[in-house]
Amino acid sequence: MTTLPISADQLSTPSVIANPYPYYHELREHSPLNYVFLPAGAVAGINEPIRAWALMRYADVYGALRNHDTFASSHSLAGKVVPRLALIHDDPPRHTRFRHLVNKAFTLKRIEALKPWIATVVNELVDHMAVSKESDIMQDYAIPLPVRVIARMLGIPGEDYVRFKLWSDTFLAFSSMTPEERAKSNQEMMAYFGQMAAARRTEGAEDLITALVEANVDGESLADTEIIGFCMLALIAGNETTTNLIGNMLGILVDRPDLWQQLRADRSLVDSVINETLRIESPFQRLSRITTRDTELSGVSIPQGSLVTIYYGAANRDPAEFPNPDEFRLDRDLRNHVAFGMGIHYCLGAPLAHAEASITLNALLDRFPVMQRGNIPAIRQTTSLMVYGYQQLPLRLLTSK
Ligand code: HEM
């Protein structure tokens, strides 16, 4: 085996987390399939460095996502330190049953019905930013919006969103907290959702938790522990990711005033902007699987029981699938990006995330002919290996040119 171009330690350095793309290209060019050292905390439940196969070619990522029998999601690693997450850490038949039940509650109709309320919150948040000369779009907008939306959907008071954010951050952060601190925060979150589920069993409401309590497929329904698991998943999988989609999209557009004007004139391009952002700056970067049998990818043998890391972010920049992958372009075929995964685990919240990004962009285009960078510099997040996004993104939204 030849030496890797980058070492394990480098993978977790702030500069690589802030911009992993040159390293993905280096690793992909070095070998179709690399066996890398992931730093401590890179896999949920593992607090020491661990070796894993790194899937960075589009064809391999696609192949593994489609072959869920061989590349399993439930493995003994999850649940050691952090709780197992429903769905994401499940395989069939458990996954199939759970997904059917959750699909009954988390419907397109529910998302559609929420859109007018999302638009109201969007305008409320934008109003606040519009009065000041410069706003950190992350703190003032991209963080609060998804938390308020999921809280509203679940039926939880909007004021609690600051606690939500803390729980979600704690779950994802790998370097800034002790295992004990993380466990305490996770227990608090589970207790909170447990109380919510119990309350909805006594008295229902017009919300997703009630729909989960009432969901029934062929006489089967969800236990409270499963509802708690789903709420945690929605909070964790849905917030940081949507926050980063919005931040990354605006971070790209602020440097493209030409495109801003084009979008103001032609809103049919909004969906392509969202999809191209998802491809080029994938908010969710990587997740692990475990092999249930000996297998092969790109001509390399992978033994049974191996940890495999799927790099959605790297696959979305594979030049073999997306020519000139580092260029933001609206004229490509974007149906194949894997930013929301693929196959049985395809993101349940994709339509919701898309709706939030679309309502956001349309509202900003309606109100502001000009968007500029602020004086304070933008800073990428550098603590989580899971996500790609900004820690701060100061912008100026101007009502006249
Ligand atoms: C831009 C925003 C988002 C991105 C980039 C994203 C990304 C992903 C990805 C890549 C997966 C597949 C995981 C796998 O392969 O195992 C996934 C699954 C999932 N996502 Fe999202 N997500 C986003 C927003 C949301 C939202 C808003 C929600 C819910 C409120 C959500 C809920 C879920 C759930 C429940 C799953 C698990 C599905 C399953 O295993 O069957 N996501 N997401």
Side-chain angles (χ1 to χ4, degrees), residues 87 95 99 150 233 238 241 284 287 289 312 339-341 345 347 349:
L87 287 177
H95 177 272
R99 179 95 190 206
I150 198 67
L233 178 61
T241 46
F284 195 49
L287 204 65
R289 298 285 199 267
Y312 310 95
F340 287 126
H345 292 282
C347 179

Side-chain angles (χ1 to χ4, degrees), residues 65 73 86-90 95 99 106 150 153 230 233-235 237-239 241-242 245 278 282-284 287 289 310 312 338-342 344-350 352-353 356:
L65 290 174
S73 294
L87 287 177
I88 266 187
H89 289 147
D90 284 336
H95 177 272
R99 179 95 190 206
F106 201 97
I150 198 67
M153 245 187 140
F230 177 78
L233 178 61
L235 178 61
N239 281 325
T241 46
T242 311
L245 167 59
L278 283 160
S282 305
F284 195 49
L287 204 65
R289 298 285 199 267
I310 294 180
Y312 310 95
V338 286
F340 287 126
M342 180 76 65
I344 63 165
H345 292 282
Y346 183 79
C347 179
L348 181 77
L352 179 62
E356 289 179 53

Side-chain angles (χ1 to χ4, degrees), residues 24 43 63 82 103 108 127 132 152 170 182 188 246 316:
Y24 292 161
V43 175
V82 291
N103 282 347
L108 283 178
D127 282 345
S132 71
R152 167 82 179 205
T170 305
R182 293 170 74 183
E188 267 175 37
I246 293 170
N316 279 334

Side-chain angles (χ1 to χ4, degrees), residues 55-356:
L55 272 50
M56 295 191 171
R57 293 179 68 211
Y58 183 89
D60 291 338
V61 165
Y62 186 90
L65 290 174
R66 285 275 174 211
N67 186 357
H68 57 262
D69 283 341
T70 303
F71 296 89
S73 294
S74 68
H75 44 76
S76 55
L77 302 176
K80 272 195 179 170
V81 174
V82 291
R84 270 181 79 259
L85 284 176
L87 287 177
I88 266 187
H89 289 147
D90 284 336
D91 291 310
R94 189 186 157 98
H95 177 272
T96 320
R97 170 188 165 273
F98 201 106
R99 179 95 190 206
H100 277 154
L101 281 163
V102 167
N103 282 347
K104 288 261 171 202
F106 201 97
T107 55
L108 283 178
K109 204 170 141 205
R110 189 173 289 280
I111 295 167
E112 207 51 47
L114 201 66
K115 281 183 179 174
W117 182 85
I118 298 177
T120 311
V121 179
V122 162
N123 278 307
E124 213 178 275
L125 292 169
V126 174
D127 282 345
H128 274 98
M129 292 189 306
V131 292
S132 71
K133 287 208 167 61
E134 184 168 321
S135 274
D136 175 9
I137 201 97
M138 302 311 288
Q139 290 304 326
D140 296 345
Y141 186 88
I143 291 172
L145 179 71
V147 192
R148 284 181 66 176
V149 170
I150 198 67
R152 167 82 179 205
M153 245 187 140
L154 290 169
I156 283 159
E159 315 84 73
D160 280 353
Y161 81 76
V162 178
R163 275 160 85 191
F164 269 40
K165 173 72 184 138
L166 271 177
W167 289 333
S168 165
D169 281 355
T170 305
F171 196 96
L172 289 170
F174 86 96
S175 59
S176 48
M177 293 212 170
T178 64
E180 292 73 29
E181 283 170 328
R182 293 170 74 183
K184 185 167 171 279
S185 164
N186 291 332
Q187 275 156 12
E188 267 175 37
M189 171 164 53
M190 278 159 50
Y192 183 92
F193 288 128
Q195 283 162 12
M196 289 290 299
R200 292 301 187 269
R201 285 210 191 271
T202 317
E203 195 174 348
E206 254 310 302
D207 58 35
L208 182 59
I209 295 191
T210 306
L212 290 164
V213 164
E214 290 171 356
N216 191 298
V217 175
D218 301 332
E220 283 216 57
S221 55
L222 293 163
D224 275 8
T225 46
E226 292 177 311
I227 294 175
I228 295 169
F230 177 78
C231 293
M232 282 171 42
L233 178 61
L235 178 61
I236 290 153
N239 281 325
E240 188 103 357
T241 46
T242 311
T243 292
N244 289 325
L245 167 59
I246 293 170
N248 293 347
M249 174 175 75
L250 298 177
I252 291 168
L253 291 177
V254 72
D255 295 328
R256 297 283 304 268
D258 53 325
L259 183 54
W260 191 257
Q261 296 316 325
Q262 203 186 341
L263 283 164
R264 273 171 60 85
D266 181 2
R267 303 303 173 88
S268 70
L269 298 172
V270 164
D271 280 357
S272 303
V273 167
I274 296 169
N275 281 324
E276 179 66 342
T277 303
L278 283 160
R279 183 197 69 79
I280 201 166
E281 296 196 2
S282 305
F284 195 49
Q285 287 283 304
R286 42 166 291 274
L287 204 65
S288 296
R289 298 285 199 267
I290 200 127
T291 48
T292 57
R293 53 178 72 97
D294 292 350
T295 186
E296 199 186 287
L297 281 176
S298 282
V300 179
S301 301
I302 305 177
Q304 178 183 357
S306 301
L307 190 66
V308 169
T309 296
I310 294 180
Y311 283 85
Y312 310 95
N316 279 334
R317 293 240 200 156
D318 182 351
E321 182 67 20
F322 302 103
N324 300 318
D326 300 330
E327 256 177 49
F328 184 88
R329 287 173 51 173
L330 301 185
D331 60 351
R332 19 173 130 245
D333 183 356
L334 287 165
R335 283 169 301 185
N336 291 344
H337 77 71
V338 286
F340 287 126
M342 180 76 65
I344 63 165
H345 292 282
Y346 183 79
C347 179
L348 181 77
L352 179 62
H354 202 284
E356 289 179 53

